[in-house]
Each structure stands twice: as structure tokens, then as C-alpha cells.
Amino acid sequence: MKRTGVFVCHCGINIAGTVDVKKVTKDLSKHKGVVHAEDYVYACSDPGQNIIIDAIKEKNLDSVVVACCSPTLHETTFRNTSKSAGLNEFQCEIANIREQCSWVHKDMEKATDKAIKIAKSAVQRVRRNEPLEPISVPVTRKALVIGGGIAGIQSALDLANTGFEVILVERAPSIGGHMIQLSETFPTLDCSQCILTPKMVEVSKHPKIKLMTYSEVQDISGYVGNFKVKILKKPTYVDPDKCTLCDECTKVCPVVVPNEFDLGLTGRRAIYIPFPQAIPATFTLDIKHCPGLLPIACGKCADVCEPEAIDYDMKPEIIEEEVGAIIVATGYDLYEKERLTEYGYGKYADVLDGLQFERLLSASGPTMGKVLRPSDRKEPKEVVFIQCAGSRDPELHCAYCSKICCMYTAKHAMLYKHHVPDGQAYVFYIDIRSGGKDYEEFVQRAVEEDGVLYLRGKVSKVFEDKGKIKVWGVDTLTGKDIEIDADMVVLATATRPSKGADELAKKLKIAMDRDGFLAEAHPKLRPVESVTSGMFLAGAAQAPKDIPEAVAQASGAAAKAISILSQEKLFHAPTVAKVNVNLCTGCGMCVEVCPYDALSLKDGKVEVNEVLCEGCGTCSATCLRAAINVKNLTALQVNEMIKAALGG
Amino acid sequence: MAEEFEPKIVAFLCKWCSSAGSDLAGVSRMEYPPNVIPITVMCSGSVSPLYIFSAFNKGADGVLVSGCHPGDCHYIKGNYYARRRIALVKKLLEYVGLEPERFQMSWVSAAEGVKYTQVIKDFVQELKPLGPQKKLRRTQ
């Protein structure tokens, strides 16, 4: 029989106000196996912890239950307290009698009775706890960054500049992400390419960064500190070392397809460089659109390529790497055109999305920085900007706020006025959300200096009429119907997690939220960590974000990764699954359900890889013979807890 | 007049969502009936049918299993297993004659303190007219 000590915390009046702590202490002192019970006003205070330490030593306790607040708060505190008194830290359990009891009830008698049951069930559990030692594992001191937008670039540079090797994987032919497509950035109106390209160049020249563009993470296994990654390197059919960027190949390529970089506002050839400052600076042959790799089918590009950089025999490669930490920075995409038909998006050439308008504004864009209508290349004199196109619309589209659109719409309207001073910009909005340094002032500048007309209300209809785009809406502040004969409509389209992010999340075994963005481990206290240890989140993959926020999170994620990579060894919670080989029949049902591939069959019995096991217990609920259990929360323990919870 | 029947409920809450959600209810000082004794488990997927039978056997008038929303599981897919398993257990319990209201599953995220409160309130209300559970209770 164990010698358990029970310590009941008053938490001032937080607990003692609704729970009769003296009665709880007295009742628990009579419980089987409890050799010491004591209450104290604040157990987490230094004197409170000393009481526990003294009792462990004086009464020779071998297990401790602290009835106090939620274990998410002070479990670590009291486990360390127990440890400092010479007890194994896993001999200490918490009974949550505050959040799950005193704070939610008013009737003292009933709350006290419930607190007693909660505390007794913790005592029952700890009686069968075994001493455990954290599992130690070595660390591979290398990081993988997935996504080469601004967030991924920042994380990679921070890691590399700290001295760690980094593999930066980007699925597109060049790094740069969406930021490289932007014209200017709010609220400073910095030229986006001018501030991003130095970082891109730094990535390409950094001795610690291995850049893998046109590549995708195909498979991942392992665990924090020791991941094994398989990366698919797609063939570009162009040898970057030989390519001199002479551009002769594009002149002869017979294929024209919409240019992704200009969001379809221009065309590109099947062999192309995404944009002049692309990193790596080389051409890519897009095999999906190339008429055929056999010279007999076309082969024109190879014919004109003087340095003989084009190699039709290039094959996809699988590169295997080992890394200790992973940063996921897969970014965002705009809400799909086909899902947003009510504004004529995808139907009328002069209804654009925000990124297309960025390209129109950009000095390197399809119109060389002139704002012209795609339909007839005339300068639009009336432009309507529609905010929340797909955002904040739980019935039809996305329920969430895409966050960046208020600011970029103000910027678009402002830049439009700089290009077309005699034009008029209208903005339909629900609310203006301009929280951020110098953001509110920026919006005010758009209104006051550039005469942008803000109309509070939603647009009811957008349709083409005699060369104009008619926009019907209501100004809810004046109650008046609004009708604008616009030359161009720009939609502040909702941002979505980037396409394929869900598949990647499944491969990485990291969770997503209900909107498909990657889920952080805690919304307030662990905003850059994923729920899987060793994997971190950066940028718009986690939630819609502007550039400064993405950069800040990217640096935060890098710092978190460094806190792993800088260690010699890592420790893993030892509350993992354990097999009773005498009961195990080797049926393999638990192996099937394990979300972490931590179980395997060996000689007809199940074996647990303690490093991979996260201790979820799915195996234990599946086993028909209760042959597999999570340490310190076994079926036997739960059974005893149930008994105590029901007053038995 | 006889005192109103107060059902005894055991709630298996997953650590990451529902237990955290019940903590949030506490932090937000939302009141709900004290009939439920929570047992925090790692994942709703770790709740063995045996736990449920054991609770009824030991005199529970109702049993609740609460986990992360489908798709949000901390352990990727544990709650999907829980959902399937619980559907079977529910059928089995109905088959042996237990009122279906006595056994429930809910999805409560760490942010849903209000929902947790409501789940408990509703559950207690549904159990009250049923009276004590005797079907599976071990006779003394």
C-alpha cells in the first residue's frame, strides 16, 4: 500500500469560498492509503511548496495529490516540488477542484462533495502510478523550412545566421511567395520587391541554406529532434548551372499559357522564368504544358539553347534528409474564383482580385505600372473596391476575417489615385479594421488626402451594362441606395490556406483548425508551435497575416526551432503505451489505429517505440484484452477513478 | 415532498479540448450543476467501452464522453475512433434496454466554455425525469 499525501489548496477564497477545504482535508485523511492530509491558503506559494516538501520527508510519502487549480497551470510546479523532496515527479497528480469545481458551483455542500470525489479519484490514480524517467533522444542539428515566401525566408535566414543548417523547400520554381507579386506595401508604401529581393539573394548565397525549389515534401517520419524527410525534386529540364538567362528559348516556344505570376493577366511560355529576379535564376520547363519532351514533338527550345542547358532526360529525384525541427510556412491562396460568382469574378474581365490589382499597380507588371482595364486597356475612371469578398460571411463563404484586406484596399485605393489623379475610388466595407502601428493613420490618409469614398454597406449586385460594370449597393449609414457605373471592380477576396496545405498537414501529422489553417498548440501561449512537438508554424499558413506579423512569427518559429536544435539531448514525456506481453495475442488491432506508427508486431507481440508514442491511448481503447495501457493512466487506474468519482 | 432526483454523471473529457473547455468555463465563472465528476483522459479515443460499462455498473445515472471536434483531434484521428466506437456502444446499451439518453458524446473545443456548460445543463435536465439507472447497476 502506498503512502499518499494530500494537499488541499484554498487559493485564497477562489476554492475555499465554495468548497469546504477543511472537510475535504478531513475526508481525504480517512481515505485508504492517505497518511497525510493538509490544507493551505496558497499551495503554489513558496511556503506552500515547503509544506509539501516537509511532509514528503517527515511522513516518508511516496506519492502526492495536490487538490488545487487546473493541471495545465501548476502540475509542473508541484511535480518539481515533489522532485526536490526526492520523490519521482510522476508520483504527483493534480485534482482540479477550482476550474472544474469551485468556480462553477455555488452550493457549498454539493461543491464540497464533488471536490472530495475529484480528490479521491486522483488519490486512486496515484496509488498505481509508477515512477517514470523522461525518455532521452539525441538531436539532429538541422532544420527543414517548408515554403519559400517571406515567412519561410525569414525563418531560414534566422536559423542559418544562428549557425544551423537549413533546408528550404519551395514547390514553385522560385522563392518569394506572394510578397514578390505585390507592388507596394502598407503602411509605408515600400516597394515590395525592393525589400524582399535582398533577403532572397541572401538565401541563395547563404552557405548554411540548401535551397530546394520546384520541390515538395513527400513523406515524413520520425519525431522531434529526429525527423526523416523525403523530398521530391521535380525536374525543371533546365540545368541552372549552364543556363545563361539569354531568353532565346521563350522566343521559340510555341505554347502560351496563363502566367501564374501575373494571375493570368499575361501569358507565359511552357519554358519560362517566373519573374526577372527569380531565385534560383534559371528557366523551368513546365512539362504539363510542353507539347512533348521528345525532340520529334517539338524540341525548339533545345535547338536554340546555345549553352545546352536543356536536358529532356532529367528525372524526378527523391532526396532524403534528416532534420531535428520543421517550420511550416506554406502561406495562403486567394478564395477560389468559382466560389465567388456573385460579384462577376471570373465572368467579367474588369472584375479583379486583390493580387491581380497588385500586378496592375506593379512597375514590373503586365501594364508596366499603368492602371489599365484588362478588357480594353483604357484607364478606369471609377473604381469600386469591395471588401470582405468571401470573408465574414458564415452563411455562404468564410466566417473569419481575412485581416489584411482593409489595409490593402486602402493602399489599393490610394495607389490608384496616385496613378489616376482624376479618377474616383469607392470602397464598400462592413467595418474598417486598422489595428496596427501607423495603420489607422494610413486609412485616414486615403480618405483625407486621396479622397477615397468609403461606403459602409454590402454590394447586392454587380453586372455588366454598356461597357460599364454596374455596382448596386446600399450605404447603411445614410440608408441610401448606391448605384455606381464603374470601369473596374476590385475584390478584397478572402485568404485561404494555400492549396495542398491540408495534404501536407496530414503528412506532417499536424492539426488544422475548422477553416483549414494550421492549428497552433495554444491560441495565446503557444502561438508558433504546432500540436506536434518539433514542428512550428510561421506566416499565413496559421491564420491570415500581414507581412510584419508573418515576419515576427517566422522569427519566433525560428527561435523555437533553435531551442530544440541547440540541445544535446531532448526529453520526451514517459507516459507512453506499455504492453503486457502475457495478455497480448498479437492481433495487431492497436498497430492499425496508432496515429503515430509507434506500434509494431515483433515475434507475435506488439512492441512500443517509446520515442514515437505520444501517449494518446487509442491503442488501449482498441485492445480487447486490455494488454496495452498508457503508463500512469491504465485501465485499472481509470476503473478505480470511476469508482471514486461515484462515491465508492 | 420527496427531494428532486440528482443524477450522478461521470464525464470522460479529453485533455486537450474538452477538459480545457471545462477549465475555460471555470475561468469564465459559468455556473452549471455539480452532478458531473470529470475524469480527464488523454484523448476521447482512449475511452474504452469498458470505462463506460464500468461507470454504469458502479452506479452512474449518465455517462458523457467529450472530445475535440472531428478534424481537430490533438492526436490527429483519435476522436474519429471514439465516434465510431461510441456509436457501437450506444447501440449495444440500447439493445440491453438502457435509455439512450443516459449515454452521450459531445464535441467541446478548448474555446467552448459556454458549450461545455450547456452540454452539462442539458444532460442533467434529460436525466432527471429518468430517475436512477438500475439496469446495469451492480446489485449490492
Side-chain angles (χ1 to χ4, degrees):
Chain A
M1 176 64 71
K2 263 194 170 168
R3 297 177 58 82
T4 306
V6 177
F7 301 88
V8 184
C9 179
H10 300 200
C11 195
I13 57 159
N14 278 310
I15 293 170
T18 3
V19 169
D20 182 346
V21 285
K22 296 283 178 198
K23 185 169 191 292
V24 176
T25 313
K26 202 175 152 200
D27 248 57
L28 265 292
S29 70
K30 291 179 202 151
H31 193 77
K32 211 167 129 192
V34 176
V35 295
H36 180 85
E38 193 170 352
D39 61 288
Y40 190 70
V41 62
Y42 286 109
C44 61
S45 66
D46 251 21
Q49 292 186 53
N50 286 335
I51 284 173
I52 299 173
I53 293 171
D54 292 345
I56 291 172
K57 289 179 179 163
E58 280 165 26
K59 300 280 175 75
N60 199 19
L61 304 179
D62 58 10
S63 49
V64 164
V65 167
V66 187
C68 55
C69 54
S70 167
T72 54
L73 299 170
H74 277 303
E75 186 178 78
T76 314
T77 309
F78 292 121
R79 285 194 167 166
N80 286 335
T81 306
S82 307
K83 201 174 167 186
S84 67
L87 211 61
N88 181 280
E89 64 206 87
F90 292 93
Q91 298 287 11
C92 168
E93 292 293 345
I94 303 296
N96 180 352
I97 61 164
R98 194 180 74 176
E99 281 83 348
Q100 294 183 340
C101 187
S102 72
W103 273 353
V104 287
H105 307 310
K106 286 204 177 111
D107 184 318
M108 188 132 186
E109 199 184 322
K110 286 177 177 168
T112 306
D113 181 58
K114 177 173 167 180
I116 290 168
K117 287 174 177 162
I118 293 175
K120 280 185 179 170
S121 87
V123 171
Q124 290 303 102
R125 176 181 181 183
V126 87
R127 273 176 62 191
R128 293 184 191 272
N129 268 15
E130 48 178 318
L132 302 173
E133 291 305 326
I135 301 159
S136 99
V137 284
V139 179
T140 310
R141 299 180 131 172
K142 199 191 238 186
L144 169 71
V145 178
I146 307 171
I150 178 59
I153 288 174
Q154 186 63 45
S155 290
L157 287 175
D158 284 354
L159 283 158
N161 288 333
T162 314
F164 294 105
E165 282 183 54
V166 182
I167 303 156
L168 176 58
V169 174
E170 165 60 50
R171 68 177 168 191
S174 170
I175 55 169
H178 284 309
M179 187 178 165
I180 200 71
Q181 294 175 295
L182 308 182
S183 57
E184 274 125 83
T185 54
F186 60 80
T188 51
L189 298 187
D190 275 300
C191 151
S192 190
Q193 297 196 340
C194 311
I195 57 174
L196 180 57
T197 46
K199 282 184 187 285
M200 290 165 61
V201 172
E202 196 184 343
V203 164
S204 72
K205 305 282 183 213
H206 207 295
K208 294 274 185 190
I209 298 179
K210 179 176 175 185
L211 178 60
M212 295 181 69
T213 50
Y214 219 47
S215 301
E216 286 175 35
V217 170
Q218 206 175 39
D219 186 42
I220 203 140
S221 59
Y223 46 89
V224 56
N226 296 279
F227 294 107
K228 284 193 176 66
V229 195
K230 279 187 191 154
I231 303 160
L232 167 71
K233 198 164 169 39
K234 297 175 278 187
T236 60
Y237 303 101
V238 178
D239 182 343
D241 297 329
K242 287 186 187 164
C243 175
T244 59
L245 298 171
C246 68
D247 210 10
E248 290 300 319
C249 51
T250 62
K251 289 177 191 159
V252 296
C253 178
V255 180
V256 181
V257 291
N259 184 354
E260 301 86 352
F261 187 69
D262 284 333
L263 296 118
L265 294 176
T266 58
R268 64 159 173 85
R269 304 288 166 167
I271 189 160
Y272 70 111
I273 181 163
F275 50 95
Q277 309 96 315
I279 299 280
T282 183
F283 280 73
T284 300
L285 178 63
D286 166 13
I287 192 61
K288 217 172 96 196
H289 296 105
C290 175
L293 285 178
L294 293 171
I296 199 165
C298 176
K300 288 195 173 78
C301 52
D303 290 344
V304 296
C305 184
E306 240 172 63
E308 296 183 343
I310 296 169
D311 173 10
Y312 293 134
D313 295 327
M314 223 180 248
K315 295 271 176 309
E317 275 180 86
I318 302 279
I319 314 269
E320 291 189 31
E321 293 279 357
E322 288 186 15
V323 295
I326 297 173
I327 294 177
V328 191
T330 45
Y332 71 96
D333 273 323
L334 290 185
Y335 199 51
E336 296 87 345
K337 267 196 174 76
E338 49 273 18
R339 293 168 76 170
L340 200 64
T341 49
E342 61 257 47
Y343 298 120
Y345 184 37
K347 187 170 163 196
Y348 308 129
D350 298 326
V351 177
L352 304 179
D353 61 44
L355 274 177
Q356 287 178 318
F357 197 65
E358 291 285 345
R359 296 309 303 145
L360 281 191
L361 293 168
S362 171
S364 66
T367 51
M368 306 308 275
K370 289 197 182 90
V371 178
L372 300 174
R373 307 203 322 167
S375 63
D376 53 11
R377 296 182 74 81
K378 279 187 189 148
E379 197 175 64
K381 296 295 181 192
E382 307 253 306
V383 179
V384 173
F385 295 88
I386 302 174
Q387 292 197 170
C388 299
S391 307
R392 301 181 67 192
D393 190 347
E395 261 115 59
L396 294 172
H397 304 292
C398 312
Y400 56 86
C401 164
S402 290
K403 199 171 183 184
I404 56 174
C405 331
C406 284
M407 291 308 297
Y408 80 60
T409 299
K411 177 192 75 177
H412 282 170
M414 189 188 274
L415 291 174
Y416 163 69
K417 285 288 288 182
H418 294 177
H419 283 82
V420 188
D422 62 338
Q424 181 60 54
Y426 304 89
V427 177
F428 278 95
Y429 70 101
I430 306 178
D431 296 293
I432 300 294
R433 296 182 168 175
S434 53
K437 202 169 173 175
D438 293 331
Y439 285 11
E440 177 57 23
E441 295 89 325
F442 183 81
V443 175
Q444 288 308 321
R445 220 171 96 200
V447 174
E448 286 161 18
E449 290 180 22
D450 296 302
V452 176
L453 197 59
Y454 273 82
L455 300 162
R456 189 176 198 275
K458 281 204 111 174
V459 167
S460 56
K461 202 171 179 186
V462 175
F463 60 100
E464 216 169 33
D465 185 37
K466 293 173 198 141
K468 295 275 183 186
I469 298 171
K470 277 206 185 287
V471 179
W472 287 357
V474 176
D475 181 350
T476 55
L477 294 180
T478 60
K480 282 186 182 156
D481 289 339
I482 307 277
E483 202 180 312
I484 300 168
D485 284 342
D487 298 308
M488 186 186 268
V489 171
V490 181
L491 306 175
T493 326
T495 56
R496 302 270 303 136
S498 94
K499 278 179 204 86
D502 50 345
E503 284 160 43
L504 181 70
K506 273 178 208 140
K507 280 178 197 158
L508 298 175
K509 300 190 173 81
I510 55 179
M512 289 174 287
D513 64 24
R514 73 181 75 110
D515 300 311
F517 290 101
L518 302 178
E520 63 284 345
H522 187 282
K524 288 182 211 107
L525 299 178
R526 296 170 71 193
V528 303
E529 292 159 73
S530 79
V531 288
T532 307
S533 46
M535 295 195 194
F536 305 98
L537 314 174
Q542 183 243 340
K545 277 192 192 71
D546 60 20
I547 296 166
E549 284 178 329
V551 171
Q553 197 187 19
S555 287
K560 281 283 172 191
I562 290 165
S563 74
I564 288 173
L565 301 181
S566 57
Q567 290 182 59
E568 292 277 330
K569 274 181 179 170
L570 285 178
F571 294 97
H572 180 79
T575 42
V576 293
K578 184 181 176 182
V579 181
N580 183 336
V581 284
N582 296 323
L583 297 178
C584 178
T585 58
C587 72
M589 265 164 49
C590 56
V591 178
E592 294 278 312
V593 299
C594 177
Y596 298 95
D597 300 329
L599 304 176
S600 55
L601 277 172
K602 201 182 168 192
D603 303 328
K605 302 280 177 189
V606 167
E607 215 177 45
V608 181
N609 180 332
E610 293 201 337
V611 175
L612 288 182
C613 176
E614 293 272 338
C616 68
T618 303
C619 51
S620 66
T622 308
C623 183
L624 296 174
R625 298 166 61 89
I628 189 161
N629 272 294
V630 175
K631 288 180 188 171
N632 288 359
L633 195 58
T634 61
L636 202 58
Q637 284 174 296
V638 175
N639 197 42
E640 302 256 312
M641 288 168 82
I642 295 168
K643 203 165 148 192
L646 289 164
Chain B
M1 193 182 137
E3 213 174 296
E4 197 183 8
F5 166 66
E6 290 294 346
K8 287 195 272 185
I9 303 169
V10 176
F12 296 98
L13 312 178
C14 85
K15 174 178 169 159
W16 305 97
C17 290
S18 296
S19 186
S22 83
D23 276 357
L24 180 63
V27 172
S28 317
R29 311 294 202 280
M30 294 164 184
E31 206 192 336
Y32 56 83
N35 305 54
V36 175
I37 307 297
I39 293 179
T40 300
V41 292
M42 296 308 277
C43 178
S44 56
S46 76
V47 178
S48 158
L50 288 175
Y51 298 177
I52 298 154
F53 303 141
S54 163
F56 283 123
N57 180 258
K58 293 180 174 59
D61 300 305
V63 174
L64 173 74
V65 178
S66 189
C68 308
H69 284 265
D72 280 356
C73 181
H74 181 86
Y75 298 109
I76 306 153
K77 51 186 179 181
N79 56 1
Y80 287 125
Y81 290 120
R83 184 165 64 177
R84 280 189 242 165
R85 191 177 293 132
I86 265 134
L88 278 177
V89 171
K90 210 168 166 66
K91 276 193 180 161
L92 181 68
L93 290 172
E94 281 173 40
Y95 178 74
V96 298
L98 195 81
E99 299 91 333
E101 296 84 3
R102 291 197 187 272
F103 175 54
Q104 298 201 2
M105 171 144 210
S106 67
W107 314 113
V108 174
S109 81
E112 293 178 327
V114 181
K115 185 172 176 190
Y116 181 75
T117 308
Q118 201 54 51
V119 165
I120 302 302
K121 281 182 186 167
D122 292 348
F123 199 12
V124 171
Q125 277 316 309
E126 281 177 47
L127 288 175
K128 278 192 175 174
L130 298 181
Q133 181 273 126
K134 290 176 185 150
K135 193 99 200 166
L136 296 174
R137 188 184 208 142
R138 186 171 39 193
T139 44
Q140 300 299 321

